[in-house]
Amino acid sequence: MKKLFFVITMIISTVSFAQIKSVNLTASGLTCSMCSKAIYKALIEVQTIKDVKVDIKNSTYFITFKEDMPVSLDAIRTAVEDAGFSVASLKVTANFE
């Protein structure tokens, strides 16, 4: 089962090259604006991320990506978790041609 999950993940990663345009991430575990800033700093360090817009009131982050670079959703999750929080939801906007 783990092998099948890995294969599916690899296929999605390969297919998602330059197709994922943006992500709307909702984080959980935030209690103040400093928490939001910690996540922002962690996200902006991910090499494929171009810009991060923060909505502190709703604990959401609108993330756009650099063009012609493969997008790793796991890198985004890891950045949020390394900042000490978790991803509550992740909505992906992709361009399928």
Side-chain angles (χ1 to χ4, degrees), residues 41-55:
K41 285 182 174 182
L43 289 172
I44 207 70
E45 291 296 319
V46 177
Q47 291 182 348
T48 58
I49 292 178
K50 178 180 177 181
D51 188 37
V52 178
K53 291 186 175 38
V54 181
D55 178 359

Side-chain angles (χ1 to χ4, degrees), residues 4-88:
L4 178 62
F5 178 76
F6 178 76
V7 171
I8 291 172
T9 303
M10 292 305 294
I11 290 170
I12 290 171
S13 296
T14 303
V15 172
S16 68
F17 181 77
Q19 291 183 356
I20 296 178
K21 300 299 179 189
S22 64
V23 169
N24 194 6
L25 180 143
T26 303
S28 62
L30 285 74
T31 58
C32 66
S33 62
M34 294 305 289
C35 297
S36 293
K37 187 168 182 123
I39 293 175
Y40 172 83
K41 285 182 174 182
L43 289 172
I44 207 70
E45 291 296 319
V46 177
Q47 291 182 348
T48 58
I49 292 178
K50 178 180 177 181
D51 188 37
V52 178
K53 291 186 175 38
V54 181
D55 178 359
I56 294 173
K57 182 179 178 183
N58 297 312
S59 301
T60 59
Y61 301 82
F62 182 74
I63 303 166
T64 55
F65 299 97
K66 297 175 184 172
E67 293 194 24
D68 300 326
M69 292 187 77
V71 174
S72 170
L73 299 177
D74 281 335
I76 295 169
R77 179 189 51 82
T78 300
V80 173
E81 289 176 354
D82 287 350
F85 304 95
S86 59
V87 176

